[in-house]
Amino acid sequence: MNVHPLKIGGLTTPNNILLAPLAGYTNAVFRRMCARLGAGLTFTEMVSAKGLCYDNEKTKDLLFVTPDYEGVKACQLFGSDPEIMRRAAESVHLAPFDLIDINMGCPMPKIYNNGEGSALMAKPELAAKIISACKKSGKNVSVKFRVGLEKGKIIAAEFAKVCEGAGADLITVHGRTRDKIYAGEVDCAAIAKAKSAVKIPVIANGGVFCKADADRLLNETGADGVCVARGAMFSPWIFAELSGMPKPDVKRLILTQIDDTLELFGERFACVFMRKMCAFYIKGLSGAAALRTRLFACASVEELKETVSNIEF
């Protein structure tokens, strides 16, 4: 793929390969690891604007960035009230962040039925007000959305214009409709129309699990970069593949992630979270089902590390 720096408003990223916000996964350790592997931009998990305004501790925890993270700091916010979104964007909690990404693509019922995430695509005037409100913070703003809400109602190009008109500095388009969640083919033609409709950078998202997937997505959409989501959960070393860096020693990488997660989040979280991550990492290996059973039987971090040490990646 054509790897190059990406200009987002007043920011410039090292490259145009992005790690998507992934609820429950893109914590500080995972983001730092992906950045070191070659991701040009990483986002926090989606953060509730209301939670920040009401000083919710669990919400604030999602914003933690390791002191040695050297990349552009980006936070993804979700909400449907322009004033609350503005207050969150201007809050002290987001002071360390260079970029605010507004979630207008989440398809999950809990978010959608509350009028947030992809539900905002049905309300372009409200969506524009939210973007404009966040821009008042003085920060660079991006928007992530889908090609539409359902088959036969593809509105990616029109919504892209709404975002640009409201002041967005970049958009990321997920190539599936809301009703498909994460299943089905990516609509490259719809992303291409969004790209043609605006002058701001457009990032293509959906179905990237290897370099061939990224190449196809860029070739068929003309997008300015790619955003990797579930592909990073199964193999974060995909960023090394896409950016042209050498593939890391996978076993050493995982063991380091376990140690770093333990140091930052403690034994209980590290054991539960890394069992789940390791189950993703072994996909495709011989005897993966039996390995998965062994991983989830681990009752401590040390036991988990011993199990991982005996896996041939």
Side-chain angles (χ1 to χ4, degrees):
M1 63 175 284
N2 180 17
V3 180
H4 57 79
L6 187 66
K7 186 170 175 57
I8 309 171
L11 303 171
T12 301
T13 66
N15 64 46
N16 54 339
I17 307 164
L18 283 58
L19 168 66
L22 296 165
Y25 296 98
T26 50
N27 59 46
V29 171
F30 189 75
R31 297 197 308 273
R32 180 179 62 185
M33 179 176 71
C34 291
R36 288 175 174 174
L37 287 167
L41 182 62
T42 72
F43 297 87
T44 66
E45 301 174 52
M46 63 178 187
V47 173
S48 166
K50 284 184 179 179
L52 287 183
C53 289
Y54 292 113
D55 222 28
N56 181 277
E57 289 300 323
K58 288 185 177 180
T59 300
K60 290 190 290 184
D61 287 346
L62 298 175
L63 296 174
F64 183 76
V65 179
T66 56
D68 56 352
Y69 184 88
E70 297 178 349
V72 172
K73 297 179 179 68
C75 166
Q76 189 184 71
L77 276 183
F78 75 94
S80 59
D81 185 314
E83 177 59 19
I84 289 177
M85 291 288 282
R86 181 193 63 77
R87 285 171 52 196
E90 293 177 349
S91 71
V92 65
H93 307 304
L94 294 192
F97 291 88
D98 310 298
L99 173 67
I100 293 173
D101 185 65
I102 305 173
N103 186 316
M104 295 189 179
C106 181
M108 304 313 292
K110 182 179 179 181
I111 301 295
Y112 179 81
N113 293 336
N114 201 37
E116 300 165 331
S118 58
L120 291 167
M121 294 190 70
K123 300 178 179 179
E125 290 185 4
L126 176 58
K129 289 179 181 178
I130 289 171
I131 296 166
S132 297
C134 288
K135 283 291 290 185
K136 290 178 181 177
S137 67
K139 293 184 180 293
N140 301 282
V141 172
S142 61
V143 184
K144 190 168 188 283
F145 61 90
R146 289 181 167 245
V147 293
L149 294 178
E150 59 188 47
K151 185 178 179 180
K153 295 182 180 179
I154 306 300
I155 59 169
E158 295 86 346
F159 200 75
K161 291 179 183 178
V162 169
C163 294
E164 182 180 48
D169 299 296
L170 172 142
I171 58 173
T172 300
V173 186
H174 182 106
R176 298 182 180 92
T177 52
R178 183 262 161 182
D179 60 332
K180 295 294 184 183
I181 309 296
Y182 302 109
E185 291 296 315
V186 171
D187 190 339
C188 291
I191 300 176
K193 288 180 180 177
K195 168 61 182 171
S196 298
V198 296
K199 294 180 180 179
I200 57 174
V202 176
I203 304 299
N205 173 226
V208 177
F209 291 88
C210 63
K211 186 176 184 298
D213 293 334
D215 288 339
R216 181 184 65 83
L217 195 59
L218 285 179
N219 289 337
E220 295 187 16
T221 65
D224 300 287
V226 295
C227 188
V228 185
R230 288 176 299 150
M233 289 162 54
F234 289 102
S235 52
W237 44 93
I238 188 176
F239 293 108
E241 179 186 8
L242 297 182
S243 65
M245 292 176 61
K247 182 179 178 180
D249 181 317
V250 171
K251 186 181 297 186
R252 182 178 298 175
L253 182 75
I254 296 169
L255 290 172
T256 299
Q257 186 188 4
I258 293 173
D259 284 337
D260 290 348
T261 304
L262 173 64
E263 180 181 357
L264 189 56
F265 297 107
E267 171 80 24
R268 178 177 173 80
F269 178 89
C271 186
V272 173
F273 178 75
M274 287 308 304
R275 285 187 315 205
K276 182 169 56 175
M277 295 308 301
C278 291
F280 286 126
Y281 298 158
I282 63 170
K283 184 181 179 182
L285 296 184
S286 177
L291 285 174
R292 193 171 294 109
T293 299
R294 285 168 52 196
L295 287 168
F296 281 106
C298 294
S300 68
V301 165
E302 281 306 311
E303 191 176 350
L304 179 62
K305 288 176 65 177
E306 182 179 354
T307 300
V308 170
S309 295
N310 291 320
I311 297 175
E312 291 301 321
F313 289 94

